[in-house]
Amino acid sequence: MSSVRLRQPAQRGELRDRHEDGHRLHHLLWRLGPGVRVCSSAVLGGGIGPRAWILNAQVPGGYPRLDPDRHLAEIAAAEGLTGPGAGLMTAADVAAYTTGHDGGVTATVTAGLGVRGWAAAPDTATRAPDRPGTAEVPGLPRRPEDAEVPGSPCRPEDAEAPASPFRPGTVNIVVTLPVALSDAALVNAVATATEAKVQALLDAGLDCSGTPTDAVCVAAPEPGQDGGEPFAGPRSTWGARIARAVHTAVLAGARTAP
């Protein structure tokens, strides 16, 4: 049992391609195997728990489906993946992914920044596609028509908001570590990765904190009796490595992203 718990997650994602509705699309696939758990905000398999794989799938602009979790499950099944997994989506070019490495930590980023802004935007400045609802599912690309999805909140002023053309959005971050983290450290690792993302965007000269649909996955071995590393803040040993790896990957992606 101890050998299973010490299994390290796959550090690099495998770039795969597929054809859907006349589009040639790419996805990144991490085959984690047993003994790995993930903390994520992914649209499929989010939360904290054992995960056998992570999938970051590209979809075409103007994504028409309203069941992204089922779509990701279909892609995973086509790859022969079994067991619980975590799935993210983006309209950005997944083949243009960037990576950062630091002290055993690997960060892999797909960056689409055509639709971006500040997290704490005034409500009066928020247009229809930016409100909570389908348009803000983590890891799911935004599209202008999301404002008309049944069940999404509607305000009178939305009828006067000018329609904007689709531009790829979503910054997806997948971090893999060789050491186990406690529950609290896993959550802290997601926060650290997010802080490093914002720092990188600012260093790239972008006036934003990200996009409304950014998602993060952190994968690490399951902890043993010691409970795993207790800290993953930016000044802790492993948190600092996460921050530097994510900063490197996001900065490289932000400089070339649309």
Side-chain angles (χ1 to χ4, degrees):
M1 179 64 72
S2 60
S3 62
V4 172
R5 288 187 179 278
L6 291 174
R7 179 186 178 93
Q8 295 184 6
Q11 296 291 297
R12 293 179 179 273
E14 176 186 355
L15 184 64
R16 307 278 290 171
D17 65 359
R18 67 189 194 283
H19 293 270
E20 288 184 5
D21 301 324
H23 299 280
R24 182 170 183 252
L25 304 167
H26 294 90
H27 53 270
L28 283 167
L29 172 60
W30 288 259
R31 302 176 191 270
L32 303 178
V36 177
R37 65 177 187 163
V38 172
C39 178
S40 81
S41 59
V43 63
L44 173 67
I48 298 178
R51 301 290 184 266
W53 47 269
I54 297 174
L55 181 67
N56 185 12
Q58 179 184 358
V59 295
Y63 183 65
R65 294 182 60 161
L66 301 179
D67 57 347
D69 52 345
R70 182 174 180 177
H71 187 185
L72 285 162
E74 291 169 356
I75 297 172
E79 285 285 3
L81 302 176
T82 58
L88 311 91
M89 281 186 172
T90 180
D93 181 7
V94 167
Y97 72 92
T98 55
T99 59
H101 310 276
D102 195 288
V105 174
T106 297
T108 303
V109 170
T110 54
L113 289 158
V115 179
R116 58 181 182 263
W118 293 103
D123 184 62
T124 55
T126 304
R127 292 170 57 179
D130 296 325
R131 295 191 318 278
T134 305
E136 292 196 12
V137 174
L140 179 66
R142 296 169 70 252
R143 45 180 197 163
E145 61 267 34
D146 285 333
E148 300 178 9
V149 173
S152 63
C154 182
R155 301 175 303 179
E157 60 267 36
D158 292 334
E160 300 178 4
S164 58
F166 178 85
R167 293 175 296 166
T170 304
V171 177
N172 284 341
I173 301 172
V174 176
V175 177
T176 55
L177 293 91
V179 299
L181 300 178
S182 68
D183 286 359
L186 270 174
V187 175
N188 206 173
V190 171
T192 295
T194 302
E195 290 182 38
K197 174 199 73 174
V198 176
Q199 181 181 344
L201 294 176
L202 295 177
D203 288 346
L206 298 175
D207 189 24
C208 67
S209 59
T211 85
T213 53
D214 294 352
V216 181
C217 285
V218 177
E222 291 182 346
Q225 293 183 349
D226 63 355
E229 294 288 328
F231 306 112
R235 293 288 73 83
S236 68
T237 299
W238 289 100
R241 293 171 181 176
I242 292 170
R244 289 189 293 265
V246 170
H247 182 272
T248 296
V250 174
L251 183 61
R255 286 174 170 166
T256 59

